[in-house]
Amino acid sequence: MELNPLEQALHTARALVMADLVAGDVAEADVVSLVEDAVTHRRWWVEQWPGGAEFVAGLVAQDVQDALLEKYGRWPLCPACAEDEPHALDVEPELGPDPHWVCTKAAVAVAPVGALGEVLRR
């Protein structure tokens, strides 16, 4: 069964965000529920604006990040800075294709969304 482009974008977004959560050892059942909630919300959004399908991965990542902040705290923490004060990475562009986790303090792209494991395993 082949997925339509909107469903494919949503499945890809879910997989990328889940990969980052697994890499950070935070993919508990309740966190996975946050991902599902974000995907459900963005399904409606992308159905209204099909041209935004390429932006869904970054938006789901931001939605999950916001939900985690409300329940648990900042995620993902920046692995690039050796500061005393931990801080979270941001998704850039906020609305655009090819989203990356970036450290705004150091002005550096840390990893594409879905590839945090490559940075966290170093």
Side-chain angles (χ1 to χ4, degrees), residues 8-122:
Q8 184 62 50
L10 291 164
H11 283 282
T12 299
R14 176 189 293 112
L16 292 172
V17 173
M18 285 302 302
D20 286 343
L21 290 165
V22 168
D25 291 327
V26 292
E28 303 296 326
D30 53 342
V31 174
V32 173
S33 294
L34 298 176
V35 175
E36 295 305 321
D37 291 346
V39 169
T40 298
H41 172 73
R42 291 302 172 177
R43 175 175 282 112
W44 176 88
W45 181 86
V46 80
E47 285 170 351
Q48 305 308 306
W49 185 40
E54 65 182 328
F55 308 148
V56 168
L59 292 170
V60 169
Q62 291 174 57
D63 293 346
V64 170
Q65 185 179 41
D66 291 345
L68 282 169
L69 180 61
E70 288 178 21
K71 291 188 176 214
Y72 303 102
R74 294 174 286 210
W75 175 86
L77 293 180
C78 180
C81 293
E83 292 184 9
D84 293 335
E85 175 107 12
H87 58 278
L89 298 172
D90 294 320
V91 175
E92 288 188 5
E94 286 187 24
L95 184 62
D98 193 27
H100 279 67
W101 292 109
V102 299
C103 173
T104 55
K105 291 187 182 214
V108 62
V110 174
V113 168
L116 271 180
E118 296 172 20
V119 176
L120 297 178
R121 285 194 273 275
R122 288 183 189 165

